[in-house]
Amino acid sequence: MNQKKIKVAVTRQLPEPVETRMKELFDVNLSNSPYPLNIDELYEIVYDCDVLVPTLGDKIDKNFIKEAGKNLKLIANYGVGYDHIDVLSANNLGITVTNTPNVLTEDTADIAMALILSIPRRIKEGVKKLEDNEWDGWAPNALLGHRIYGKRLGILGMGRIGQAIARRAKAFGIQIHYHNRNRLPVKLEEILEATYWESLDQMLARIDFLSINTPHTPSTFHLINARRLKIMKKTAYIINTARGEIIDENALTRMLRSKELAGAALDVFEKGNEINPRLKELDNVFLLPHMSSATIEGRIEMGEKVIINIKTFSDGHTPPDIILIN
Ligand code: DGY
């Protein structure tokens, strides 16, 4: 007798191999939209389903979860960040939530490193000069940036991605400093040659580059606010590949405009793709459209993780990437 397949709703178009595998394994409601569905479409797609696979940009809040249907037992997020899901409300209704850690780590760290290199060395301005046909040839004083070797990088959030950035930065001769809720084991600090700062403010005052790699939670919202930005050296650069909400984007824009900070390289923004227009106008910024994890290999591995989480759950076991709120 055919075993009844678990019903899965996916809110966004995923890479083809992931969708094909899902179709083989599950009774799946796929979305053909690359962008977030509106609330009515979300309700329609989740109706009757046992599992919802949302992703970044979907607002899976308390109200949605309450109305999502009595069959919903698992929210298997396609992505590592889960600030768009009210995990506590889901858990209170007996719904398990999972994510896709690890598989985005190296790709995200690569782009963070590229941003660390790009902004002090004025890569964007150099490319623009060429593209605008404004390059008149080499000159001793043209496009002088700042040396990266020997500088101090402060990593805010020393989890998997923070550590992957530290490994890369160390190879470039950069000194590693970090602030984290928990200090790393001494052995790991030795391997990374990383200096721990219990006080974020004290670290901020001493570093040349700040890389933000902490999740967005109520306690990290605007953690880098106007007061903390002012603590930083005027010559410092900020790199953000985590979540835009962690920096007060308006305060950052003001300080970049008034040259109270040297520059910023950002892959994420406080209001998604609505970027402060004043920020976009500046030469001392390098902006990317949230693409730090965008590799085909990574996206397929994210899908594989989602599938393993669903399969393990439907076989009656705890999924490997269950999110536990403490
Ligand atoms: C995630 O999975 O949360 C990432 O931000 C996507 O790049």
Side-chain angles (χ1 to χ4, degrees), residues 113 116-117 119-121 144-155 165-166 168-178 192-195 197 203-211 233-239 262:
M113 196 64 223
I116 292 170
L117 300 175
I119 188 75
R121 296 302 307 272
L144 299 183
H146 287 282
R147 179 174 296 156
I148 287 156
Y149 181 86
K151 292 284 163 58
R152 293 174 164 204
L153 167 67
I155 299 179
I165 294 169
R168 284 161 175 75
K170 192 183 148 209
F172 278 84
I174 296 171
Q175 298 174 37
I176 312 300
H177 297 256
Y178 77 100
L192 298 171
E193 293 172 32
T195 304
W197 291 87
M203 180 179 87
L204 290 177
R206 288 165 176 82
I207 54 176
D208 303 297
F209 314 131
L210 170 67
S211 175
K233 295 185 197 171
K234 277 190 166 166
T235 49
Y237 297 90
I238 297 192
I239 294 93

Side-chain angles (χ1 to χ4, degrees), residues 56 79-81 104 243 290 293:
L56 197 96
V80 66
L104 289 70
R243 284 291 184 268
H290 199 158
S293 71

Side-chain angles (χ1 to χ4, degrees), residues 240-267:
N240 190 3
T241 50
R243 284 291 184 268
E245 291 91 333
I246 298 162
I247 306 182
D248 179 340
E249 193 171 294
N250 287 335
L252 175 69
T253 307
R254 278 197 304 274
M255 289 188 59
L256 289 167
R257 277 166 66 88
S258 58
K259 304 268 191 282
E260 289 169 88
L261 275 171
L266 311 171
D267 183 49

Side-chain angles (χ1 to χ4, degrees), residues 16-35:
E16 190 272 326
V18 176
E19 294 194 339
T20 302
R21 191 69 188 126
M22 284 185 163
K23 281 192 259 182
E24 286 161 7
L25 292 170
F26 314 126
D27 176 1
V28 66
N29 248 354
L30 291 171
S31 159
N32 52 19
S33 169
Y35 303 109

Side-chain angles (χ1 to χ4, degrees), residues 153-196:
L153 167 67
I155 299 179
L156 171 55
M158 197 59 144
R160 285 175 293 260
I161 297 174
Q163 290 174 37
I165 294 169
R167 287 199 309 274
R168 284 161 175 75
K170 192 183 148 209
F172 278 84
I174 296 171
Q175 298 174 37
I176 312 300
H177 297 256
Y178 77 100
H179 171 81
N180 200 41
R181 261 193 315 180
N182 301 310
R183 189 169 175 171
L184 295 182
V186 175
K187 222 41 279 103
L188 194 49
E189 277 187 358
E190 279 170 12
I191 292 170
L192 298 171
E193 293 172 32
T195 304
Y196 175 65

Side-chain angles (χ1 to χ4, degrees), residues 43-274:
Y43 279 128
E44 198 176 317
I45 204 162
V46 73
Y47 175 76
D48 228 12
C49 282
D50 308 291
V51 180
L52 175 68
V53 180
T55 191
L56 197 96
D58 295 328
K59 197 166 167 224
I60 312 299
D61 60 9
K62 188 175 179 172
N63 286 339
F64 175 79
I65 294 168
K66 261 184 18 207
E67 303 298 325
K70 58 182 180 345
N71 293 346
L72 188 65
K73 287 286 168 290
L74 173 68
I75 298 175
N77 186 49
Y78 182 84
V80 66
Y82 51 84
D83 47 337
H84 54 292
I85 304 173
D86 184 341
V87 179
L88 198 58
S89 295
N91 289 171
N92 286 341
L93 289 168
I95 299 168
T96 300
V97 184
T98 59
N99 68 341
T100 62
N102 295 319
V103 291
L104 289 70
T105 303
E106 304 302 330
D107 297 325
T108 306
D110 283 343
I111 290 287
M113 196 64 223
L115 294 179
I116 292 170
L117 300 175
S118 302
I119 188 75
R121 296 302 307 272
R122 304 175 64 183
I123 301 283
K124 180 183 99 172
E125 290 166 77
V127 170
K128 191 165 183 306
K129 227 180 211 335
L130 266 180
E131 286 179 349
D132 294 349
N133 289 323
E134 279 175 6
W135 187 46
D136 299 322
W138 187 88
N141 285 324
L143 284 169
L144 299 183
H146 287 282
R147 179 174 296 156
I148 287 156
Y149 181 86
K151 292 284 163 58
R152 293 174 164 204
L153 167 67
I155 299 179
L156 171 55
M158 197 59 144
R160 285 175 293 260
I161 297 174
Q163 290 174 37
I165 294 169
R167 287 199 309 274
R168 284 161 175 75
K170 192 183 148 209
F172 278 84
I174 296 171
Q175 298 174 37
I176 312 300
H177 297 256
Y178 77 100
H179 171 81
N180 200 41
R181 261 193 315 180
N182 301 310
R183 189 169 175 171
L184 295 182
V186 175
K187 222 41 279 103
L188 194 49
E189 277 187 358
E190 279 170 12
I191 292 170
L192 298 171
E193 293 172 32
T195 304
Y196 175 65
W197 291 87
E198 195 175 341
S199 156
L200 173 59
D201 289 3
Q202 286 187 21
M203 180 179 87
L204 290 177
R206 288 165 176 82
I207 54 176
D208 303 297
F209 314 131
L210 170 67
S211 175
I212 300 187
N213 301 101
T214 190
H216 167 219
T217 64
S219 59
T220 62
F221 177 77
H222 280 194
L223 186 59
I224 301 300
N225 54 18
R227 181 188 70 77
R228 288 208 163 98
L229 289 169
K230 282 191 198 304
I231 295 176
M232 295 182 68
K233 295 185 197 171
K234 277 190 166 166
T235 49
Y237 297 90
I238 297 192
I239 294 93
N240 190 3
T241 50
R243 284 291 184 268
E245 291 91 333
I246 298 162
I247 306 182
D248 179 340
E249 193 171 294
N250 287 335
L252 175 69
T253 307
R254 278 197 304 274
M255 289 188 59
L256 289 167
R257 277 166 66 88
S258 58
K259 304 268 191 282
E260 289 169 88
L261 275 171
L266 311 171
D267 183 49
V268 285
F269 305 94
E270 194 174 332
K271 299 202 167 73
N273 56 355
E274 284 168 38

